[in-house]
Amino acid sequence: MAPRPRIRLLAADDDPQVRAAYRDLFAHHPEVELVGEASDGAEAVEAYARLRPDVVLMDLQMPRVSGIDAIGQIHQRWPDAIVVAMTTFGTQEYVVAAIRAGAAGYLIKGVGGSGLTTALRQAVAGDMPLSSTVRRELAAVLKGDAASPPPQHDLTPRETELLRWLGHGFTNAQIGARMHLSEGSVKQYVARIGDKLGVTSRTQILVRAIQLRVVDPSDLPPIHD
């Protein structure tokens, strides 16, 4: 059986020491290949166009073009791009801005090498890596919607069930096991739900599900960083 191809990674961070740490971590990594680096958002967009990596680790606070703006530009030009926000900030302002820009996940710097590898694997597989701090902030910022009547939607009971599992942080494989679906079928369900809700990324789908009262933010479980 042929080994899986390594994940092609672009790392964008204005701190040269952070970029050096990525180089050291992935120099001989069996699952991840660091194919490019960028020191600001403008370089990140240019490097993405040139390299077309599998996933981008994007620092949010960078000069010239911020990481959030770069996520938005990449997502607008390449809607299927997978960009994971990587920052020291887990505040509501940054979380919501990154998700609205199209981030496929959001991690707090300091996550260990194995945790980072797991997150990259999850992102490429179509799952949603979120640090526990970010998950709590996401829930908090959306709780304010609870006072208003829930918006109408045309989700089926099966799609609603899937969203609840998604809200609990389960991967496609875990959701499939609970719903007796193949992993590919789960991906198709998620894509169809995204079409109905008018969003694309998994994180944006979760946000809309909370706003629709399909997922209760108080039920979001902690995930260890």
Side-chain angles (χ1 to χ4, degrees):
M1 188 173 180
R4 290 184 303 177
R6 290 197 293 172
I7 296 169
R8 300 177 67 254
L9 172 68
L10 168 64
D13 198 296
D14 65 327
D15 188 336
Q17 292 185 336
V18 172
R19 298 197 305 274
Y22 286 144
R23 286 197 297 272
D24 291 341
L25 176 61
F26 298 118
H28 304 287
H29 201 282
E31 295 185 66
V32 180
E33 177 187 7
L34 183 64
V35 297
E37 301 177 21
S39 61
D40 61 43
E43 286 185 10
V45 176
E46 184 278 329
Y48 187 91
R50 178 167 42 86
L51 299 170
R52 299 302 293 271
D54 298 317
V55 63
V56 183
L57 277 179
M58 184 77 75
D59 184 31
L60 296 187
Q61 281 203 320
M62 293 189 292
R64 275 211 298 167
V65 176
S66 72
I68 290 175
D69 288 340
I71 293 172
Q73 290 180 30
I74 290 173
H75 189 67
Q76 184 174 24
R77 294 174 61 182
W78 300 281
D80 294 332
I82 301 171
V83 184
V84 176
M86 188 81 173
T87 183
T88 55
F89 300 95
T91 61
Q92 294 178 5
E93 175 187 359
Y94 281 94
V95 171
V96 174
I99 289 173
R100 285 177 175 165
Y106 196 123
L107 302 175
I108 302 300
K109 285 183 178 179
V111 62
S114 61
L116 182 55
T117 300
T118 298
L120 293 175
R121 196 186 308 119
Q122 288 177 338
V124 171
D127 294 319
M128 180 181 53
L130 288 177
S131 292
S132 58
T133 301
V134 173
R135 188 174 286 269
R136 288 192 294 270
E137 292 293 347
L138 179 60
V141 79
L142 294 172
K143 278 183 179 179
D145 295 335
S148 59
Q152 297 298 311
H153 63 79
D154 61 350
L155 297 172
T156 67
R158 192 76 162 153
E159 291 167 344
T160 299
E161 179 188 358
L162 188 147
L163 281 173
R164 292 195 178 105
W165 293 125
L166 177 65
H168 278 76
F170 292 135
T171 65
N172 288 340
Q174 292 169 330
I175 293 172
R178 284 162 174 79
M179 296 183 65
H180 306 289
L181 295 170
S182 69
E183 197 167 342
S185 295
V186 173
K187 291 181 180 179
Q188 291 176 355
Y189 264 104
V190 172
R192 188 160 58 245
I193 291 169
D195 288 341
K196 286 186 175 183
L197 301 182
V199 293
T200 53
S201 77
R202 203 175 175 96
T203 45
Q204 291 170 330
I205 289 171
L206 177 60
V207 169
R208 289 294 294 134
I210 293 173
Q211 292 170 333
L212 292 168
R213 313 290 194 276
V214 173
V215 173
D216 184 349
S218 64
D219 287 340
L220 293 181
I223 294 179
H224 297 295
D225 297 339

